[in-house]
Amino acid sequence: MENNQLYNLLNLPAEVIHNLDKYGSSGKNTFNIDIEDLIQNTSLVKELDKLIAGSTGQDEDGTKILWEELNIARQSFDEYQKRGIPDRIFIDTMKFCTRFLNEYYKTYSCYRFVWGWWFPRQLALLELLKYESMAILDWVFPRYNKISEELPENTSLQTNMKKYLLGGNKPGWTKGVLKSVWE
């Protein structure tokens, strides 16, 4: 699969695709990893975004990291196929990039990819996770980075999540098992 095929499958915004193509054609993209190493080494998964950032340098809008991770996603696609996982599952999994980019745009009126730390889990076909993480604030309460009475209650999810968080609870990350429902 070529990069532009992947971008189109994921319905990435045109402006983001333009920036990705610009970086991809710059010849500065140098990060390389074997997907088998990533799948077999959870320590590598946890450090991948830092390794990529170290090789790409300054990346104000996250385009470089996104390009490098999408480049790895093309290898992941092959692994999904080897395991008999339908293309639709791959596409829906990787579309988190599109969703996050669009959500960032709605909030800040520009595209920025700030989830390089999240992507390696999808690339390695696994989910790790951190019970203490409060990253939920990014999705449920955009622009808020701490738990307080100031959290908005514009939706029932926000209202219930605010009550849950103010009660000292932590949602953590999810862990699941993919069942073969497509057979």
Side-chain angles (χ1 to χ4, degrees), residues 12-163:
L12 292 175
E15 182 180 329
V16 173
I17 292 174
H18 172 77
N19 292 339
L20 290 168
D21 286 342
K22 185 176 174 182
Y23 174 70
S25 66
S26 72
K28 295 179 181 174
N29 44 343
T30 58
F31 191 81
N32 191 14
I33 190 166
D34 183 79
I35 194 67
E36 291 298 324
D37 292 337
L38 188 60
I39 290 170
Q40 295 173 13
N41 186 341
T42 56
S43 296
L44 182 57
V45 173
K46 293 176 183 177
E47 298 298 318
L48 185 62
D49 64 314
K50 293 178 186 100
L51 294 170
I52 292 173
S55 74
T56 61
Q58 189 172 1
D59 189 12
E60 295 290 323
D61 64 0
T63 296
K64 295 175 184 178
I65 289 175
L66 180 58
W67 190 95
E68 299 290 353
E69 291 184 334
L70 287 172
N71 196 43
I72 298 168
R74 294 184 311 124
Q75 292 181 57
S76 291
F77 177 75
D78 294 339
E79 189 61 33
Y80 274 70
Q81 289 191 319
K82 280 187 216 171
R83 294 179 183 204
I85 302 172
D87 294 356
R88 183 84 250 148
I89 301 295
F90 172 83
I91 293 166
D92 288 346
T93 299
M94 299 303 167
K95 269 192 171 179
F96 91 91
C97 295
T98 309
R99 188 179 80 234
F100 288 2
L101 286 162
N102 287 331
E103 288 299 319
Y104 192 93
Y105 188 86
K106 285 179 192 174
T107 304
Y108 300 102
S109 301
C110 65
Y111 292 107
R112 189 164 181 231
F113 187 73
V114 296
W115 303 277
W117 57 271
W118 176 276
F119 207 169
R121 293 178 285 216
Q122 283 77 15
L123 298 175
L125 288 82
L126 61 90
E127 185 65 32
L128 302 172
L129 265 9
K130 301 176 182 174
Y131 179 73
E132 297 296 318
S133 175
M134 293 309 297
I136 190 76
L137 294 175
D138 291 337
W139 295 284
V140 180
F141 305 102
R143 293 189 179 220
Y144 291 85
N145 58 11
K146 65 180 182 176
I147 300 168
S148 73
E149 289 289 339
E150 311 264 320
L151 294 173
E153 296 185 50
N154 298 320
T155 67
S156 60
L157 175 60
Q158 286 181 333
T159 300
N160 291 323
M161 183 63 72
K162 178 178 176 179
K163 183 194 301 185

